[in-house]
Amino acid sequence: MNRFSLRGRDKVQGQWRMFCLIHNIEKLMNYGAIQ
């Protein structure tokens, strides 16, 4: 992810939070698979 598809600070902030949320969910899924 090297560019935001939305314009405006609020929209970019929301998109960034969504990206972080998905990233953290993937980490949790991978961590659960290891144990």
Side-chain angles (χ1 to χ4, degrees):
M1 185 171 144
N2 58 0
R3 186 175 294 171
F4 292 103
S5 61
L6 302 172
R7 299 185 73 175
R9 185 175 179 191
D10 292 338
K11 291 180 182 177
V12 168
Q13 196 171 25
Q15 187 177 6
W16 179 246
R17 285 182 182 154
M18 183 68 70
F19 176 77
C20 291
L21 179 66
I22 292 169
H23 179 71
N24 287 331
I25 289 172
E26 288 176 351
K27 285 200 304 189
L28 286 172
M29 288 174 63
N30 290 334
Y31 181 74
I34 293 171
Q35 292 188 356

